[in-house]
Amino acid sequence: LIREAMIRLNWNYSIYRVGRFREAELGVESPFTLLASDAPSPAESIALTYLKDDRFRATLLPQGDTLLLGWDTLSHLGTWSFKLERRADFLTEHPNSLKAGDQFRLRWTSLNALVKGVNESNLFVKPVEKDVSIVKIYYKHERPEKGQALAHQIMDTYLEGCRRSTVF
């Protein structure tokens, strides 16, 4: 059930803002979206530094290979094939969300690792009543929208499975 929900959510790629002391996943607060093809090596990530004038420096980690790139350009670095799309609506509302020197990290996580990350410490399934087959699902994630999306997707996946298995 969790595996099928993760497939539908397509959370393999994540964008993080890199600060002095920690990285924070951006989710809906990202000034750009990442479009990638094929699964890169999970051992590789990409460090991005926004230079200015719609240009980024991308560094493949841990190897250190670099390239300069702009918006909407298909780029290849290590096992990564990707492009960045500017979120004009977000940048209009939040013009300071992308400034020269800002650092980001692009990560890919395998489906198996995503599924393994959902466990009894962050996923809670509670029955509404003892004799009723209705449950409440809670999922804790650092990005609230991801917590909500996974709980909803698990329920949708469960209900679809029930509909397919029910014979009238």
Side-chain angles (χ1 to χ4, degrees):
L1 188 64
I2 292 169
R3 182 183 229 28
E4 182 63 30
M6 285 295 187
I7 289 169
R8 292 175 185 200
L9 288 169
N10 193 23
W11 283 351
N12 298 94
Y13 292 94
S14 300
I15 301 169
Y16 293 81
R17 183 176 291 275
V18 178
R20 285 182 51 188
F21 301 106
R22 70 180 193 100
E23 294 179 357
E25 187 175 1
L26 290 179
V28 296
E29 296 170 357
S30 176
F32 57 88
T33 57
L34 169 67
L35 300 174
S37 58
D38 302 324
S41 167
E44 293 178 348
S45 65
I46 293 181
L48 284 177
T49 302
Y50 183 68
L51 303 174
K52 62 180 178 176
D53 302 323
D54 297 330
R55 304 291 293 165
F56 288 87
R57 180 180 56 246
T59 304
L60 182 68
L61 300 176
Q63 293 85 336
D65 302 337
T66 63
L67 65 89
L68 296 177
L69 57 107
W71 301 121
D72 303 316
T73 304
L74 184 61
S75 301
H76 305 282
L77 194 56
T79 59
W80 284 75
S81 292
F82 66 100
K83 70 178 174 176
L84 305 177
E85 288 188 344
R86 186 177 202 273
R87 290 189 56 209
D89 57 336
F90 182 83
L91 287 166
T92 299
E93 281 187 45
H94 308 282
N96 290 326
S97 65
L98 188 60
K99 301 180 303 259
D102 283 353
Q103 296 182 4
F104 303 90
R105 177 79 40 91
L106 308 179
R107 288 211 167 96
W108 181 82
T109 307
S110 72
L111 178 60
N112 288 339
L114 289 170
V115 171
K116 193 174 185 179
V118 177
N119 53 51
E120 62 273 352
S121 69
N122 57 15
L123 178 68
F124 308 96
V125 180
K126 297 180 180 181
V128 172
E129 290 185 33
K130 189 167 45 169
D131 298 330
V132 178
S133 61
I134 298 175
V135 296
K136 288 184 180 182
I137 295 179
Y138 303 91
Y139 178 64
K140 289 179 12 182
H141 192 276
E142 67 183 54
R143 299 293 321 156
E145 71 272 9
K146 277 193 162 184
Q148 180 183 25
L150 181 61
H152 287 168
Q153 190 60 60
I154 287 172
M155 288 303 290
D156 288 346
T157 304
Y158 174 75
L159 291 172
E160 277 183 37
C162 288
R163 281 188 212 112
R164 282 192 306 263
S165 66
T166 303
V167 178
F168 292 100

